[in-house]
Amino acid sequence: MTEHVWSYKSTSGHLAGTDLTGYKVEAIDGGIGKVDKHSDEIGDAYLIVDTGVWIFGKEVLLPADTVVRIDVDERKIFVDRTKEEIKDAPEFHRDKHLGDPDYRRELGTYYGLGGPFGGRIV
């Protein structure tokens, strides 16, 4: 099960209802873009990040569990993945994948349990 990846960590500083649109997103090794859309929904929280020219203007979907810290004053969100790990995630197309449970499972596995980050398969 991969549900935990769709929730913010209690230590992230996330406050439900905060509009994160436009916040810069920082991977472990540098900036990856800005938040274009996000969800605070319990068990279904995520960020959609517009990567600009970094990966040819594509968007990426990051489960909320990847967020380690939110700096409201600087309008930055820090995630616990490298740029390469984010770039290698299953490709995201908003129209096709946003409501697709199979894509969510695939992405949840990549970022969470059973994925390349030392998680365990339950």
Side-chain angles (χ1 to χ4, degrees), residues 37-117:
K37 178 181 168 82
H38 67 96
S39 168
D40 284 343
E41 205 169 309
I42 295 173
D44 190 29
Y46 59 82
L47 304 172
I48 295 177
V49 180
D50 180 346
T51 63
V53 297
W54 173 56
I55 52 175
F56 310 111
K58 292 188 179 183
E59 293 180 319
V60 294
L61 184 113
L62 295 175
D65 185 62
T66 62
V67 174
V68 291
R69 184 168 63 92
I70 298 172
D71 186 325
V72 177
D73 295 331
E74 290 198 30
R75 296 181 51 86
K76 284 187 179 179
I77 298 171
F78 298 86
V79 297
D80 62 357
R81 301 295 190 265
T82 65
K83 292 166 110 176
E84 194 67 27
E85 290 167 338
I86 293 166
K87 192 164 140 182
D88 290 345
E91 192 168 354
F92 174 69
H93 297 284
R94 186 188 298 231
D95 295 339
K96 181 178 178 184
H97 294 130
L98 197 53
D100 180 355
D102 291 332
Y103 176 77
R104 291 293 180 93
R105 276 191 290 282
E106 180 182 7
L107 196 65
T109 298
Y110 179 81
Y111 281 113
L113 299 175
F117 305 108

